[in-house]
Each structure stands twice: as C-alpha cells, then as structure tokens.
Amino acid sequence: MCGIFGIVTSEERPLGPVLVEAGKRLSYRGYDSVGCATIRADGTVDLRKDVGKVDDVARRLQFHEMRGTRGIVQLRWATFGAPSRANAQPHIDSDGDLVGAHNGNVVNNVELREAFIAEGMTVRSTNDGETCVHAVERYVDRGHSMLDAIRRAYGDLEGDYSFVIGRVGENRLYAFKKGSGLVAGLTDGIAVVSSDLPSILPLTRRIVRVEDGEIVVLEPGRIELRRVEDGARVEREIETVAETMEEAQKEGYPHFMLKEIHEQPRRARELLHLYDASPHVATLAERMGRARNLYLVGCGTSYHACLLGATYIARLAGRPAIPVLAPQFVPQYVPALGPEDVGLFVSQSGETKDVLLALDAAVARGLVPLGLLNVIGSTLMYRSRAYLPLACGYEISVPATKTFLNQALAFLYLALRMGGHPTAELSRVPELLEETIAAADRQIVELVDGLAGRDDLYCLGYGLTYPIALEGALKMKEVTYAHCEGMLSTEFKHGPLSAVTEGYPVVFVCGPEDVARVVSGVNEVTCRGGRAIAVAEEDPRLRANAHDLIVLPEAGPLLNPLLAVVPLQLLAYRMSVARGIDPDFPRNLSKTLTVD
Ligand code: M6R
C-alpha cells in the first residue's frame, strides 16, 4: 500500500536527498510509483513523479536537485487506476498552489471527482489522492482559511486514508487521517509527518501520534494539533520513542507474523471499502457467473482459499466451481479447456511459478484468466484479463495470514455478488475479527503449554471449515516444524484414528451447522484417550464432549470460517515461539516461489 512523508524546514535547503531516504524507508510496503514535490521559498512548486522504483525514478528525474522549505514524498501502490505518471502522487490543485498526497483509499472518489469537474476544477488523473487536494481547493476557493478548508474537506472524503497538503505562500504543511496511521515528529527547526514511524526515525525520536478527527499543522520546529470538529487545539505530550527501525516496522510486535495477524480487522475493512466502490467486482462476478467451467487455481494457502471459495460459490451462487492446485490443473483440466471457460488464478505474490505456468498453459487453450492477487505490478496482474487486489499491504512474514483472510473475504464477497445477494452483512467482519483476536489469544496462551512439545497432531474440519482445517495445519507445519495433518473430519475414522493414543491432540474446527456431526468425531477421539480441542461458537454439546473449546463470536455459518482461521494462526504462532523458532523466516521456505 502507499506511504507518505512530509517535511517543513525554517529555510530553503536541498530536500531531495531527505525525501529519497524517507521514500526508501516507506518502500517495504510495496509500491509501483514514486513522486516528490517541494515548495520553494520563492513560491514555486517543483513536482517530479513517475512509475518505477525509488532509486530508479530518483535518478531519472534528478530528485537530488530538489530544494525547498517544504517537501512531500509519496509511494503509490495502485489499487484502482493503472500505475502511470498522471496517477502517481503528489498532485496539485487546479492553479497549482496546493500540493498534496495521500495513502489509503477514498471510497467516494468517483462521485467527488465528477463533482469537481462539474465545478470547473482541473482534474488531471483518476487517482483519489488528487481528489483529496481538490476537496481542500473547493473550500479555499470559497474563501476559507486552510485549516477551515481542511476541516470541511475531511467531512467530504470517505474511506481509510491519511493525507498531507501544503499551500504556496504559507510555510506549513497540514496532515490528517481517517483509519490509516499518521505520526508527526519534531526536531530543531524541522517538523515531519509520515504514515510510517520508520521514515521519521532517522530525523527524530520526538513524536506525536495523530488520531482520527485531528489535523496536525507542521511549522519549522513546531507541531500543533487541531480538532476537525471545531478547530480547537488539542494538547498532547510529545513522546520520545526508543524503537529501532525494524521494531518500528513491526509496530511493537515481536514478529511480523503476529503483527500481520493483528492487522486483519483493518485489512478486511479496507478490502470491503475498496470492493464496495470497485467496478471490477461486477466484472469478475459476471465473467465467473457465465463461465462454462469455472476453475479456482492456486498453491498452498491460496489453494485453501480457492477451496473455501468453491464452497461459497456453490452455496450462494448455485453454480459449481472447481478448486485445483496449480500444477495439477495442467494435466487434469488443461487438455479439456476452451474459450468458454474461466480460471481465477489466486496468488498473494502474483509470482508463484506453478500458478503462472498453469495460467500460460490454460490461456494457450483459450481460457479467460482472471486474477486475485496482493502484489500490484506482479506478473499475475499483467497476465490477467481482469483482477481484484487483496489490499493487504506488504506481507513480510513467510506464513501467509492476512492475505488468506482477505482472499477468503474476497471469495465470499464475489459469491454473494454472483448470487445477487447483498454484501452489507460483511461490514460486521472487521469487528468480529477484533473480538476473535482478543478472546482467542488469551485462550491460546493457556493451551500452548500443553501442546508446544507435541510433534504430531491433526486439524479437522467439515464443509466450510474443511479449508480452514487445511490452512490451520499448513500454518502449524510451516512455523512449528511439527507434523500436522489437515483433513476432512469424517475421514479421520477411515484410517488416521489409529494414531490416537493417550493425550494425542486433535483440533476440530466446527461451523455452527455441523456440531452434531463433529461431536461424534470428537467422541471417537476422546474415548481412545485423545485430546479433542474444538474451535467453534459456544455450544453445550462441544463444551460437554471436547477437552478444550476455543470460543468464536457468534457470526453464523458463512462468516464463521473467516473467524475460525484466526485461533489456528495464533496457535501456530505461539507454538512456534515456544519451540524457539522464528515464525517469520521458517527454515527451507521462501515467501515467493518463482521456481518449479
Ligand atoms: O504467493 P502465493 O499465494 O502464490 O504463494 C503460494 C504458496 O507458496 C503460499 O501460500 C505458501 O503456502 C504460504 N507461505 C503458506 O503460509
């Protein structure tokens, strides 16, 4: 996702090198374009931006020459609208005396953009960062001060974002946020602001965290917070942070995996905002709906999302979808493909060679390739006829967590749309996830003591929770090095039950519709001395029969799988740490598998 950084100094100086350094520190988020703007003491704006990596664009456009008393750098990670020079940020207003950049998503971008064009403003891109600039311009043109114009614009801009803006003739920058992160910093004669603490740390450790509903006004060596509601000043102590750069990127969590698990409610919220406003959802739903055969193709975690997706699509859209592991797609289905068939290729990285080979083989037979991917600018994005992003930001930890959650949510969203159902109920998901994380982590910390020494366990599910059981088992294997097999719960009695001895752990992931069926599986384990751990909504039958019940919030059968995966992620994480393993970088594994 995008990142922003802004700086205000007391006198004109070379700002290019500072902006490039800050840009590099934002780059871990993943991006496709970069841009810098400076406002010089003589009132001119120097704006340089393009598609490409920071070093590359900085060299081509000579960022090092840029001077000024204010500077902004932005890294854009395109969600909608092609990566292009015009869509790259920062943006200027109609007459070029306001310059600003945002990160995140403004979900009413299309409506606002049309309104600004109708009002006679010069709109140069389709990017929502430009919309933020015009939203302020609208009120400045009506005679409001910058602060008042921003207060009004804040009410017009819907979504999750942070935004920084400057005006020629005032030696200040203004910034504010909704949902997204924003932190300001202070040192001698300088004030800075950024979406990310790490980009500020080389300059200062004296910071102020900006909250929703606040505007931060930055002047040389001075920061002031104002309330959006009435413009009143907000008093907040300056904090001195002790984090190192790496710790700051982890936002205080000991590992990226834990940070990424905790990020899930926010990422889910961002995905829903994005899809609610996206015309591409309809395109994918329509193409998938009218396919002769619909294939859902992926590897590892992404394949598990495909399995869940197929179950959602059958249930909600009443049509079959065939989930398949990418390398097996080639021998099993490619020879029978035709142009009436559609494949949705699912990959966090968008670079997995198994997936790209399957896509190429299928396209050669005329299949229409669609993509569901996290990394914008990836090969899969370019090879897909149409795609949807996962909007998770950069996933650093090798085990996929937040990207699985958003893949699952994207499938549920698509299945609802394919079946002509409303998607409004999904707005409950972020809060339900927050509740799940808070409750499950407490229960799992207690459970881990007894499980951390086990080298062998099973994770079972049925129906909508079958893919979740497979995913939980994969997480466990990946970060604990224990053998953990995922399986359909009803299959357990057909062979693996022989593994059960005193204390042998079996995790049952159980949806609210499947309790009766799962309880008999639980008893088959417990009557042989095994330890049954259920992950489910509160239920007296499970409470009475299983040894442990990790309780999920009541959410109903469709949302239950989205919540059920969270305790399994946390269990894998806590077991990994208890076994002295670094869950972010498990041995032998790589985040992106570009090999056969
Ligand atoms: O980038 P992709 O989604 O295509 O990656 C596919 C698998 O390599 C990946 O999901 C892998 O299984 C994860 N590391 C599991 O956590």
Side-chain angles (χ1 to χ4, degrees), residues 6 24 58 72 84 109 111 139 168 186 188 198 203 289 296 298 327-328 362 365 376 408 438 450 458 469 503 568 583:
K24 285 187 188 162
I72 296 173
S84 67
N109 177 44
E111 300 91 292
Y139 295 107
V168 167
L186 198 62
D188 292 343
L203 296 166
L296 310 177
Q328 184 63 11
R365 301 266 326 170
I376 300 299
Y458 274 86
L568 303 178

Side-chain angles (χ1 to χ4, degrees), residues 257 297-304 346-355 372-375 380 390 395 397-401 403-404 407 471 474-475 478-479 586 589-593:
M257 183 176 179
V297 188
C299 293
T301 290
S302 296
Y303 167 68
H304 298 151
V346 182
S347 171
Q348 180 282 130
S349 61
E351 301 294 349
T352 299
K353 190 166 179 199
D354 287 338
V355 175
L372 184 60
L373 48 98
N374 193 41
V375 178
L380 177 58
L390 292 169
E395 190 174 63
S397 192
V398 167
T401 52
T403 53
F404 174 75
Q407 285 169 341
E471 176 55 13
L474 176 61
K475 282 301 82 97
E478 202 174 3
V479 300
L589 299 181
S590 154
K591 184 77 184 157
T592 307
L593 285 160

Side-chain angles (χ1 to χ4, degrees), residues 118-179:
E119 287 169 31
M121 295 186 200
T122 307
V123 178
R124 302 171 181 87
S125 75
T126 52
N127 181 254
D128 46 348
E130 181 172 357
T131 294
C132 295
V133 177
H134 293 302
V136 176
E137 175 186 1
R138 171 190 258 175
Y139 295 107
V140 168
D141 284 356
R142 292 179 193 171
H144 293 281
S145 68
M146 270 299 271
L147 191 67
D148 281 349
I150 289 171
R151 287 178 48 220
R152 285 171 166 79
Y154 189 92
D156 294 343
L157 296 162
E158 293 168 18
D160 298 283
Y161 60 87
S162 50
F163 178 56
V164 57
I165 186 164
R167 183 185 193 183
V168 167
E170 289 187 17
N171 199 17
R172 291 187 193 97
L173 285 178
Y174 302 81
F176 58 91
K177 72 163 197 113
K178 263 186 196 169

Side-chain angles (χ1 to χ4, degrees), residues 162-213:
S162 50
F163 178 56
V164 57
I165 186 164
R167 183 185 193 183
V168 167
E170 289 187 17
N171 199 17
R172 291 187 193 97
L173 285 178
Y174 302 81
F176 58 91
K177 72 163 197 113
K178 263 186 196 169
S180 264
L182 191 68
V183 58
L186 198 62
T187 182
D188 292 343
I190 288 178
V192 284
V193 68
S194 180
S195 51
D196 286 62
L197 181 59
S199 68
I200 285 184
L201 287 182
L203 296 166
T204 181
R205 291 182 173 272
R206 297 174 63 219
I207 64 139
V208 170
R209 295 181 203 270
V210 185
E211 293 179 5
D212 283 1

